[in-house]
Amino acid sequence: MKYLPPVILLIVLVSCSPKKADTEILVSNADELSYAISNAEPGTEIVMANGSWENVQIRFVAQGTEDKPVTLRSETRGKVIIKGQSDLKLGGEFLVVDGLYFKNGASPSNAVIEYAINEDTLANHSRVTNCVIQDFNKAQRNYEDLWVRFRGRQNQLDHCYLAGKSNRGPTIRVDIEGNQSIKNHHKIVNNHFGPRPPKGGPSAETVQLGNSSTSMSPSNTLVANNLFEECNGEVEIISSKSNFNEFRNNVFYKSEGSLVTRHGNYCTVDGNYFIGDEDSNHIGGIRLIGTGHWVTNNYFYNLRGEIFRAPLAIMNGIRRSAINRYIQVTDVVVAYNTWVDCKSPWQFGVGSNVDQKDVLPPSEIRSETPIRTLIANNVIYNTDGDETPIVRYDSINGIAFKNNVINNQGMDFKRVEGLKQIDFSMSELEENIWIPASSFPDIEVYQGFEFKQISNDLLGNPRTETNSIGAINGTNPELPNIMNLSLYGPDWFDPTPQEAEPKIHTVGTSEELVEAVTNSNDGDIIELSSNRYEIDLSLTIDKKLTIHSADILQKSSIVFIGDASTQAFEMNPKGELTLKAVKLVGSGENYAFASLKENMSSLYNLKVIDSEISDFEYVLKAYKHSFSEFIMFKSTIIKNCTNGLELSSEDDDRGEYNAENLYVIDCHFENVNQNVIDYYRGGYDESTVGGNLIVKGSTFKNCGAHEKNGVLINTYGIINVDISDNIFQNNKVKLVARLWGAKNNSESNNTLENSGQIIIEQNLPLKLMY
């Protein structure tokens, strides 16, 4: 078939052929759409007919007025599907886009939706509403784009749903280069930011306001009344890199990151909810860098993040910091906030790294502690006592504490003047929201400079006549109903569609196995009823599947006789495989599991449980630009293989890595010649908090004989490593592991017999990224 290039809609506003204003025009193809926009006048509504619009590059250029905007909308909200190589750019004044659904495609440009046509034609006073962008990703995660790019002034994104961005680049970025885009007063309001999977490295924020080079410029952007749900792209959910931004009344729900004032100054962070999860140690709150921020009326619950992801992290700065590094915290106010059941809720001097001066230049040493910073009228409550509710990574002499209280259940801790330990109880207002059962009549409210401007509490109740410490003023407030999804995103879109019941496919032949893998639906289970299956072509895993033996005591064998350097299981984007109670046998020259070599647009996951793997060149081969959120080998025997688990292809030293979590639990490795576990993250990207490796309860015997670097378990640059309760016997290596002492690397209760040693190197020399 002859290739047809995407239709590029070059739209120019013309003044000929005057038409009656307030006209509704139905268009059904790209040519009609182009013509309608080019002739639009104030009040015109251009209606895109329901159906699929593929490979369209819409250039919406028109001039509306405040009373009569030019509108581009769907015939029925959600029924106009924008797919393929498609994007939308706006230019002009008073434009409205309403009800489009972007899916099954990717932008051919640097953004899916952009409030600009080019450097000379920006959008102002324009609005995108009731739209959805879902899984609209570039072919590989290293290909960079934005889903929404703000330029110009007075633009708005509201009641939209955005989820599933997996490639490099923030979901939304506000660019403020040029006078026409500073002091922009953009609004990002009432949106639902659905799950964003971890990217494995930097540049995966959900919202970024400005960048390093323009961080001293005013943006005046408002981010309010949004839901951020499981936004796990990287350590910064919101990265504020400009001045005078406001973050009000947002809900951060089980999102593994923080709201961060990364660059720029004078931000207002007021009335936000940060809801955590006991199952995650990566969910944070607010991290502060810079000058003049006010953090008021915020609520923090059940947060377990530490250091960069602490519930409240106030950082150290760099002396005479470059504009793209860490400016000292000065003149910051943190007042009227509440922390409930958060681990070590206040952490000060975060990022202090004076002990790394031997491997870092002075321009990277964060030695400047916070000064002229006020912590006042805050409440901390712990159901169980916390040994360290305050963590000091450096001096806190520049921080003043006034009229704060904590109930730490009587457990003592290193105290500060201005944080009083008292007995009080909490009552549940709604799920995840706890408030003091009574006010604090004996605790005087501190009246600091300009505190009268904090006129309302978290729920909007006035503080003028009666006032109390903490985020909520009073004991009988109305329910905030923060998880009412109708408050966020478009009303036509269901972000939680009902999942189909998984189907069990019982297969008795190799042909039936191949057919079941190919034709099964997401979540299905394939049961192996025969003893042996022989396959010569890779099984493509592009959905969630479980494959297991019908008789777990008599494991079925899958014998892969495919060509050298091909894989029995080819892990595709969104592939998720659980292999249980299976013997997997290779030819000695092929691979058990491998990602695609290219076009890994999204992550994959892999679990291998109670299985046996033998005679492969690689057990797992992760190619460059592939990424997995979760890899687990549990109670599995791996033997007679050239290489084991290879997750080291991200070698550009830019903070990238191939997997977020790698767990090896109760396994047995024998006669694996090299690269038994090779897991690598390079580059001094100090805000990266992964990857995560646990090797526990496993045995390694006669492995590593041909490993060139003489290290059995390579973990260079990985932040969190736990090697414990393992047995290492007769492994011909110099080192079992080299651990990074300055990070969360540890080993314990390991038995080493003729296998070298485990050493700790306090400060690894890493390549600087900045």
Side-chain angles (χ1 to χ4, degrees), residues 98 132 239 247 261 263 318 434 549 695 698 725 759:
D98 189 345
V132 169
S239 184
F247 307 95
T261 61
H263 301 306
I318 295 172
W434 293 80
S549 298
V695 181
S698 297
D725 304 316
I759 65 170

Side-chain angles (χ1 to χ4, degrees), residues 228-286:
F228 295 85
E229 182 181 13
E230 297 182 15
C231 295
N232 303 338
E234 60 142 271
V235 71
E236 298 179 13
I237 304 166
I238 294 180
S239 184
S240 183
K241 297 185 175 182
S242 46
N243 291 333
F244 303 110
N245 297 314
E246 298 184 26
F247 307 95
R248 297 185 181 274
N249 308 114
N250 301 287
V251 177
F252 298 85
Y253 182 73
K254 297 185 179 181
S255 290
E256 295 188 335
S258 301
L259 189 165
V260 183
T261 61
R262 182 62 183 88
H263 301 306
N265 306 302
Y266 306 108
C267 288
T268 298
V269 184
D270 181 82
N272 302 282
Y273 298 84
F274 297 85
I275 308 299
D277 185 343
E278 290 183 355
D279 294 331
S280 174
N281 294 323
H282 305 304
I283 300 173
I286 296 171

Side-chain angles (χ1 to χ4, degrees), residues 433-698:
I433 308 298
W434 293 80
I435 65 172
S438 61
S439 59
F440 299 95
D442 298 330
I443 303 298
E444 181 182 358
V445 175
Y446 179 75
Q447 295 297 335
F449 177 70
E450 292 189 333
F451 270 38
K452 289 184 178 180
Q453 295 183 18
I454 312 172
S455 56
N456 296 304
D457 73 351
L458 171 66
L459 304 178
N461 300 316
R463 292 189 180 275
T464 50
E465 295 183 4
T466 60
N467 197 8
S468 181
I469 62 174
I472 297 176
N473 183 35
T475 58
N476 230 358
E478 294 183 6
L479 301 182
N481 205 10
I482 62 171
M483 294 308 296
N484 178 4
L485 297 186
S486 67
L487 300 174
Y488 321 100
D491 58 9
W492 58 264
F493 181 77
D494 182 4
T496 56
Q498 186 175 0
E499 295 183 0
E501 286 292 323
K503 181 180 178 181
I504 298 177
H505 306 262
T506 300
V507 298
T509 67
S510 301
E511 292 76 16
E512 289 176 351
L513 172 59
V514 172
E515 182 179 0
V517 170
T518 302
N519 297 324
S520 58
N521 295 318
D522 191 60
D524 282 359
I525 298 168
I526 298 174
E527 187 174 81
L528 306 177
S529 60
S530 297
N531 292 329
R532 177 184 169 92
Y533 301 80
E534 187 173 287
I535 58 174
D536 57 3
L537 296 175
S538 299
L539 298 173
T540 299
I541 306 300
D542 55 5
K543 60 183 81 74
K544 182 177 181 180
L545 285 179
T546 296
I547 301 176
H548 70 81
S549 298
D551 185 349
I552 61 174
L553 298 179
Q554 299 292 326
K555 298 181 179 67
S556 300
S557 295
I558 297 176
V559 179
F560 182 55
I561 59 171
D563 293 342
S565 302
T566 64
Q567 52 279 334
F569 292 95
E570 181 185 79
M571 304 306 297
N572 281 234
K574 295 192 174 181
E576 184 171 332
L577 174 64
T578 298
L579 190 70
K580 188 173 183 179
V582 172
K583 293 181 179 179
L584 185 59
V585 182
S587 67
E589 297 181 337
N590 45 29
Y591 308 161
F593 310 93
S595 67
L596 294 179
K597 291 183 178 180
E598 56 185 16
N599 295 333
M600 285 297 291
S601 61
S602 188
L603 55 76
Y604 69 94
N605 289 316
L606 174 64
K607 293 181 182 179
V608 180
I609 302 170
D610 191 25
S611 295
E612 298 179 19
I613 301 173
S614 62
D615 302 301
F616 286 98
E617 184 178 354
Y618 283 92
V619 176
L620 171 62
K621 176 70 171 177
Y623 289 103
K624 196 175 185 66
H625 308 313
S626 68
F627 185 71
S628 174
E629 183 177 7
F630 192 90
I631 295 172
M632 172 184 278
F633 286 80
K634 183 176 181 180
S635 302
T636 291
I637 296 171
I638 297 173
K639 63 182 181 180
N640 302 330
C641 294
T642 305
N643 297 275
L645 312 180
E646 179 68 46
L647 295 151
S648 61
S649 66
E650 296 293 359
D651 55 2
D652 294 336
D653 292 340
R654 302 296 298 172
E656 310 280 346
Y657 45 102
N658 282 124
E660 189 69 25
N661 300 287
L662 173 60
Y663 296 163
V664 178
I665 310 295
D666 298 332
C667 292
H668 180 88
F669 291 77
E670 187 168 356
N671 297 326
V672 179
N673 289 330
Q674 58 192 31
N675 291 324
V676 177
I677 298 176
D678 194 358
Y679 190 18
Y680 181 84
R681 183 197 68 85
Y684 182 71
D685 174 34
E686 74 284 0
S687 64
T688 296
V689 295
N692 304 281
L693 171 66
I694 295 177
V695 181
K696 191 176 182 69
S698 297

